[in-house]
Amino acid sequence: MNIVSLLYRNAFRHKLRTFLTILGMTIAILAFGLLRTVISAWYAGVEASSASRLVTRSSISIIFPLPISYKDKIKEIKGVKIVSYGNWFGGYYIDEKNFFPNFAVEPKSYLELYPEFVLSPEQKAAFIRDRRGFIAGRKLVSRFGWKLGDTVTLKGTIFPGNWDFVLRGIYSGKYDTTDETQFIFNWEYLNETMKKTVPRRADMAGFYMIGLTDANMASDVSVEIDKTFKNSIAETLTETEKAFQLGFVSMTEAIVIAIQLVSFVVIIIIMAVVANTMAMTARERIGEYSVLKTLGFGKWHIAGLIFGESLFITMTGCAIGILLTFPAAKIFSSALSAFFPIFFVSVKTIYMDIISAVIVGIAASIIPTYRSINVRIADGLRKIG
Amino acid sequence: METKKPIVEIKNLFKSYRRGSQIIPVLQDITLDIAEGEFMALMGPSGSGKSTLLNLIAGIDKADSGTIRIGDVDITKLSETELALWRSSNVGFIFQFYNLIPVLTAFENVELPLTLTGLSRKQRKEHVSMALEVVNLSDRMDHYPGQLSGGQQQRVAIARAVVTDPAILVADEPTGDLDRVSAEDILGLMERLVHELGKTIIMVTHDPRAAKKAHIIKHLDKGVLNEYSQSAL
Ligand SMILES: Nc1ncnc2c1ncn2[C@@H]1O[C@H](COP(=O)(O)OP(=O)(O)OP(=O)(O)O)[C@@H](O)[C@H]1O
Ligand SMILES: [Mg+2]
């Protein structure tokens, strides 16, 4: 017998109360973990983007295109290694609710610039060769059950009409954070069609993607590009890919902040619940703690008993909560893959779960411990009987 | 007897409680010697300060002034932490309501004070077995307090009080919650502790029958001590 076994048995004296408190902690950690995962999913695009690649777009708005002639001018600027370009296509497959990102890009330079899209050399070559070819991420392909060689028709919104594409490659992401739900096709196909149907929309790129010889030159090159097109018909705005992605996320920042707030509120609520449990527990045991003090047990023993019991409850709830977070995130992920292409429970989230549980366990025991320690032994003993 | 130094020596002890702005004097200038191996009963009306005096002797409360020397130590000079350590090896407590820990078995309750010592698991087991033998409860050591009668619980409490082999035992109405037969049993056990093990016992009681077992009876009234002779009862 030692103080730890006493602590353990104390924890199970009111089985229902302990069970309900652990359950509360479990649900709080589960909710907290999922909310944190939503937040990191929100920033996944930023996470995955690179600080050594630049994006050049119209300084007025992303919806205004830039002349294709800018490509060669950008290429001449010192520090620029690769220039690729593309258009946001904005098409959908069969039904509008089947949303996924789809772009027209210059295939060769694009794949060179984005080595995180991993393709076999044969598929790469097949994609570059076929004007109507497209590549798609592994997740997207399995979502719709496409096979190599299949013809897939997208309905255009920005570029009206039915567009037929042939699946030439299936890429997988090099990193956990690489989006595997994208649909990428040949810019030439788009441009040729535009030349025939709406000539004024031909030879225009929505954005340029630029690879640098040296990441440290990012800001110098950005300034230089924008200076080159100053006072031209279409002025540019160049920033790192990270800043560009962050710009998208910042439009929805209020939602992220709200989710963040809710995730902490959940923790504060469970803190109040556990604190209440510990306060009840400690009040009931004032007499027993006084007996222990009478026998010579000190402040630290009493504190150990209360903190230990509280942490036992919160850590048990935390462990179960973490275990449940993974299957819950999986269900979430498949239900929301259109909104959150990257949705997985990060190690950081697990750490935050554990830290929260420790903080809750400690915070909940401070006042009960303070009271139990400071009650005079003689007064505590009076509480019995 | 006269040449032997008393084990408890109390001099000019004062204790009062404060209730708001009001000061309630409880003990007024108590001076008392208790010889080693004595069985002393402390009687007096309710609210006269018996428990207060007992708590001071046992080192779980602080006096306003005066000295309490026990053995060679003036416990009024000890800090709270020193007092806790002192209690763990010098005093055994017996309470009216037994005060056992309900989630621990009889064995574990008796073992509890020993967890503060450096004894090995095996040594602790020996001590606990011996203490339970003294109170004649070896066959109930795996029972929880809720599975024992009041008298049996009090015997476990006595085993817990003696397991660290303290020189002094304090008992606050140890038979107050027991029927006559169980009370007799507990008092007999306490007598044995004095005669066979040489313990010094200070017992607060309302029961004249209990007091009769003691060698000396002190009477506390309105904070002042008087002596009774056995025959007065
Ligand atoms: N913490 C306290 N605060 C204020 N007054 C107290 C406190 N503890 C005890 N008293 C008062 O001190 C006096 C003595 O109390 P004590 O418990 O020592 O009496 P007692 O002789 O043991 O009585 P009883 O026989 O009823 O147990 C009482 O008047 C009591 O109200
Ligand atoms: Mg009393």
Side-chain angles (χ1 to χ4, degrees), chain A residues 206-225:
Chain A
F207 45 86
Y208 287 92
M209 297 157 280
I210 296 141
L212 300 169
T213 51
D214 176 2
N216 294 324
M217 293 175 73
S219 63
D220 291 346
V221 174
S222 302
V223 170
E224 196 53 39
I225 293 172

Side-chain angles (χ1 to χ4, degrees), chain A residues 81-102:
Chain A
K81 192 168 146 204
I82 313 165
V83 180
S84 188
Y85 49 92
N87 283 84
W88 172 252
F89 184 68
Y92 58 85
Y93 178 60
I94 305 171
D95 194 311
E96 256 177 281
K97 72 177 190 337
N98 291 330
F99 173 86
F100 49 84
N102 44 85

Side-chain angles (χ1 to χ4, degrees), chain A residues 132-203:
Chain A
R132 299 207 167 194
F134 78 101
I135 57 169
R138 207 162 51 170
K139 279 190 194 160
L140 187 68
V141 170
S142 73
R143 182 173 161 200
F144 295 114
W146 297 330
K147 282 182 293 297
L148 283 179
D150 279 2
T151 298
V152 172
T153 306
L154 293 193
K155 237 186 207 16
T157 52
I158 305 169
F159 303 95
N162 286 329
W163 300 69
D164 291 338
F165 304 97
V166 181
L167 183 60
R168 291 299 177 200
I170 300 166
Y171 74 82
S172 55
K174 194 168 176 181
Y175 312 106
D176 283 349
T177 51
T178 308
D179 186 354
E180 290 182 334
T181 69
Q182 295 191 5
F183 183 111
I184 293 155
F185 65 93
N186 203 322
W187 185 83
E188 273 306 324
Y189 177 30
L190 176 70
N191 201 42
E192 264 173 22
T193 314
M194 284 298 109
K195 269 184 184 155
K196 279 183 234 154
T197 55
V198 202
R200 65 179 168 80
R201 290 184 73 179
D203 293 330

Side-chain angles (χ1 to χ4, degrees), chain A residues 376 379 382, chain B residues 17-19 24 26 44-53 172-173 204 206 220:
Chain A
R376 290 175 56 249
D379 291 341
R382 247 173 239 278
Chain B
Y17 288 107
R18 199 163 289 122
R19 205 176 281 151
I24 307 156
V26 179
S46 183
S48 57
K50 304 183 295 295
S51 296
T52 304
L53 179 57
D172 198 343
E173 299 182 37
V204 167
H206 282 293
L220 192 63

Side-chain angles (χ1 to χ4, degrees), chain A residues 106-117:
Chain A
E106 196 291 300
K108 222 175 147 172
S109 54
Y110 184 81
L111 289 176
E112 202 182 331
L113 195 54
Y114 288 84
E116 56 262 51
F117 296 131

Side-chain angles (χ1 to χ4, degrees), chain A residues 7-19:
Chain A
L7 176 167
Y8 182 76
R9 285 190 224 175
N10 271 341
F12 287 105
R13 264 160 97 161
H14 286 274
K15 289 199 179 61
L16 181 64
R17 184 159 83 196
T18 302
F19 169 77

